[in-house]
Amino acid sequence: MASDPSISIESVLQEQRVFEPSPGFVKTSQISSFTRYQEMVDSAKTDPNKFWGEAALKELHWFKSFEKVLDWSNPPFAKWFVGGKTNISFNCLDRHLDGPTADKTALIWEGEPGDQKKYTYRELHSEVCKVANALKSLGITRGDLVALYMPMVPEAAIAMLACARIGAPHSVVFGGFSSEALRDRLVDGNAKAVITADGGFRKDKIISLKTAVDNALSEGSCPSVKSVLVVQRTGEKVQMNAERDVWWHEIIKKQTSECPAEQLDSEDTLFVLYTSGSTGKPKGVVHTTAGYNLWAHLTFKWIFDIRDDDIYWCTADVGWITGHSYIVYGPLSNGATTVMYEGVPRPSNPGAFWDVIQKYKISIFYTAPTAIRAFMKSGREIPDQFDLSSLRLLGTVGEPINPEAWVWYREVIGGSNCPIVDTWWQTETGGVMISPLPGATPTKPGSATLPLPGIDADVVDSNGNSVSTNEGGYLVIKSPWPGMMRTVHKNAKRFRESYWEYLKPVDGNYIYFAGDGARRDEDGYFWVMGRVDDVINVSGHRLGTMEIESALVSHELVSEAAVVGRPDDLKGESIVAFVTLKSGIDPDEGSIDQLRAHVSREIGPIAKPDEIKFTESLPKTRSGKIMRRILRALASGKEISGDTSTLEDKSVLDNLRS
Ligand code: WT7
């Protein structure tokens, strides 16, 4: 966290463009005017309990209705829909089986070497039931934690729904993590079983998942794990431990396709998902059954304006919260068709995404700014070769999107026709918190726009007081919401301290802060400026790294940029920029001066990088976020300390060092 939270963050990004929702889109959208959005905001504000209570009754199936909407008597520990009984697997499957949705495609899977599978809701229900029965036969019961360490195959979604069905919390560990990272999470979660695969395909390579599981479990390091269920994916030879390991396809054969969904309490844990902070060991973020279900359901419906004939594709991995909420639970709870893709774009197949859009006539596409910048880098010639006319809505998530990347996305991918929803949220929030509603909210490139109905977001100083228009500060949520995380697994103290006690409001109220800086403009729009621990302090001016990066990216030579501070005796910090140039462009003597002058013009001399380093690629986490912590160490010639297990490509480090 920033060392001196009392200094406000200065904002310099100037973005004047506004895009109204297109009349064509508005005509068919469910929330089709800004007035309607404001009415929803007002009714949520006037009587939150009524707003959330009615939504929960309308949108979810209840075995037994709840007695109380919210119990906030022991903040920051919230209980939602107290006394209710429900099941998210039922809400995603069984309740769609009565009508025409039963035979609608629920899941389309596009596998890496050209494999393909489709499941209707009826078929998915029957597969989930079989796996739920298989888990029971392995002795897994309600409350037992099951870890998933899987490639992007349908079995990953099936396993999540099967765990949820029997009340066994799942903990998905991204398949790109090492065996050490897996072991830490298995131990912390006290996992009873692991579901994995022999291997997975990743960027023209095979990764040996089962071997990594064997390593994680070696030498009795995770005694709680009693069974390992193995999906056959690559056909690689793996060692099966007769006492512990079973093949998925063998055990499934013996199961019936009926398994009634367990009647779970609203507050039963649905899943634990580990997220790494910049310091300390990963935190197990706990989400519970009913509130999470409602939030994933409602946000999906509102933001993606889902219609019966949509083919929706989110490119995230199920190992991240985005995959949980917007590949699996949100879409299926709404009876939508969701696409799951095992591949990733790479030099050998740069058009991979556009091929999938053309092939399945994707209408809603949700991806990350890092992907968009990579596509910009290789130019519009590649997407231009594909028919992308099925698209009607585009979304982005994961990082602030630079305005130039936003405009490129709109024009080149969306044919200037599709609204863009820039969705701000976090693992901890369960679902999206700030986003345009595509048929209602005018958008501004680079702004996630306005909070969703019921979300009490604000920008405050370190005393919890709202800052003035266009002044930077901490992005906070001032009232509880159904999808909020409930605690840090086995560490309530850390939950309290990291999220609710960092800022000390004068009135003693609990407000949620999870690390982002932002400002609100004169229309109340939120401009997220990145993590506050990424802020640079130059001669007492706190500059958001995001804004300097956006200025660099708006230059025609630049593809991507990461900006960090380096301790400086005179100025406090000086600005160091790591820049990757567009394909085929080589830096020369003049490039540095050109870029510095450009930033100076765009933002002002105060933001001019003191040093610019050109690099082939930037260090990123496996979910695509730039690891500025590493660049900060490099820039100041320090050893790289802390956890680097989330680094996607370790060779980037060697290149940067040389
Ligand atoms: C952090 C949360 C939310 C799912 C994926 C990442 C950054 C996320 C945006 C956005 C600006 C964004 C924030 C946030 N972030 N979306 N639209 N604009 N920043 O989940 O790994 O928990 O990361 O991602 O810094 O705090 P996560």
Side-chain angles (χ1 to χ4, degrees), residues 128-142 144 146 162-163 165-168 227 229 251 255-256 258-262:
V128 168
C129 286
K130 287 187 215 166
V131 176
N133 284 327
L135 290 171
K136 283 186 183 171
S137 78
L138 294 171
I140 304 295
T141 56
R142 188 166 165 178
D144 288 343
V146 177
C163 289
R165 197 162 186 87
I166 62 171
S227 13
L229 190 52
I251 194 167
Q255 312 301 324
T256 68
E258 281 305 322
C259 172
E262 192 84 24

Side-chain angles (χ1 to χ4, degrees), residues 400-447:
I401 179 163
N402 320 95
E404 288 321 307
W406 193 102
V407 169
W408 189 91
Y409 194 31
R410 183 185 145 86
E411 286 173 1
V412 178
I413 305 307
S416 299
N417 238 331
C418 308
I420 294 183
V421 287
D422 173 357
T423 60
W424 178 85
W425 60 297
Q426 312 171 304
T427 306
E428 293 87 342
T429 66
V432 176
M433 304 293 276
I434 302 179
S435 167
L437 300 183
T441 318
T443 50
K444 304 183 187 183
S447 168

